[in-house]
Amino acid sequence: MYAEERQQAIATLIGDRGRVSVAELADRYGVTTETVRRDLAVLDRLGVIRRVHGGAVGSGALTTFEPGTAERDSTRAAEKDRIAELAQRYLPDTGGSVLFDAGTTTARVVAAMPIEVDLVAVTHSLPVAARLTGFAGVRLHLLGGRVRGLTQAAVGAETLRLLGELRVDVAFLGTNALTVRHGLSTPDHEEAAVKRAMIAAADRVVVVADASKVGREDFVRFGSTADVDVLVTDTDIPAAAHAELAAEGIEVVLA
């Protein structure tokens, strides 16, 4: 099967089923996962489908689809681990304060921290909070609010009120999508509001996101490139996107 034929077949399958995974497509068409990702990139640029974590959805499904924590945690895991290790250089000095956003990459940043770390940590994420309890030198503050089952993170008016009273040295944020045109974006309004409040509360914003997020745009914008001090991503980021983001004044660091 030629690439064009396979891409047409993939587009038809996604149109029929709404969503498919990279692994399923690789198995179905007898090609590598990298070949599938290239096919999806072509179809995404044409506007036929939209790439999401671990696969693709129909172009009209972008505003409603949001993968769960378990699915996101297994996607590009090696890249996320490298990002987490490199992000350690942006932790605040001893005794400093840090906000940790919900997300599988931010959770890995916590897991990679040296055991002797000494800081004040704030998060709205239950999984991140659970990891932080393992550090004797961390003074943990867990933000309250209504917990979204999908992300296991607190959202809503109470969470925003608490964030509005804080000022921290560094915020580690995740994002579902990032472009210069649309900025940082995510599928959910309430998650976006919390991320926006975290940006406002931090002296420095460090976005940790694998390269699959770069060049994508999601439903709700929660920040612009001007809000980002550092982007820690992986070496799969397209050269053009790297240059474009760096031209915006972002320190782009590749893991």
Side-chain angles (χ1 to χ4, degrees):
M1 181 180 288
Y2 293 109
E4 292 82 1
E5 295 175 304
R6 185 177 59 250
Q7 289 161 12
Q8 179 60 52
I10 290 172
T12 300
L13 182 65
I14 293 172
D16 291 340
R17 293 178 42 186
R19 178 179 180 278
V20 293
S21 70
V22 169
E24 179 185 357
L25 291 171
D27 183 66
R28 186 183 186 97
Y29 297 108
V31 295
T32 66
T33 55
E34 287 304 312
T35 296
V36 169
R37 290 191 181 97
R38 286 194 293 270
D39 288 340
L40 295 179
V42 170
L43 294 171
D44 184 85
R45 286 195 296 270
L46 293 172
V48 177
I49 58 95
R50 293 306 301 263
R51 295 169 69 188
V52 296
H53 303 289
V57 297
S59 58
L62 182 64
T63 60
T64 58
F65 177 76
E66 187 177 3
T69 302
E71 180 178 351
R72 287 184 287 120
D73 193 44
S74 62
T75 303
R76 296 179 64 83
E79 289 84 355
K80 291 176 180 178
D81 285 337
R82 296 200 306 270
I83 289 167
E85 288 289 343
L86 196 54
Q88 301 304 304
R89 67 173 67 168
Y90 299 103
L91 286 169
D93 293 336
T94 298
S97 54
V98 58
L99 264 170
F100 288 106
D101 187 15
T104 56
T105 309
T106 48
R108 280 174 157 83
V109 173
V110 171
M113 291 193 311
I115 194 64
E116 69 276 8
V117 70
D118 177 355
L119 52 80
V120 175
V122 185
T123 188
H124 68 132
S125 164
L126 298 181
V128 170
R131 294 194 181 199
L132 286 165
T133 59
F135 295 88
V138 170
R139 278 80 71 200
L140 172 62
H141 297 263
L142 178 59
L143 300 172
R146 179 181 64 81
V147 176
R148 287 188 77 215
L150 189 65
T151 58
Q152 301 176 48
V155 295
E158 178 66 7
T159 313
L160 297 177
R161 184 188 66 79
L162 292 168
L163 280 168
E165 298 174 352
L166 297 180
R167 194 71 191 168
V168 299
D169 296 313
V170 182
F172 285 97
L173 260 67
T175 186
N176 295 73
L178 171 60
T179 65
V180 169
R181 180 179 69 173
H182 192 51
L184 302 153
S185 55
T186 192
D188 183 77
H189 279 287
E190 289 187 303
E191 294 279 356
V194 172
K195 291 174 183 288
R196 198 174 295 119
M198 287 185 166
I199 290 172
D203 287 337
R204 195 177 199 196
V205 173
V206 178
V207 173
V208 287
D210 68 81
S212 70
K213 317 292 179 56
V214 179
R216 294 189 59 246
E217 296 179 351
D218 239 319
F219 187 41
V220 188
R221 181 177 184 268
F222 63 86
S224 71
T225 52
D227 294 316
V228 182
D229 296 294
V230 181
L231 168 65
V232 186
T233 186
D234 62 79
T235 53
D236 287 337
I237 183 175
H242 185 176
E244 191 177 24
L245 290 166
E248 293 291 303
I250 299 174
E251 180 186 351
V252 182
V253 184
L254 305 184

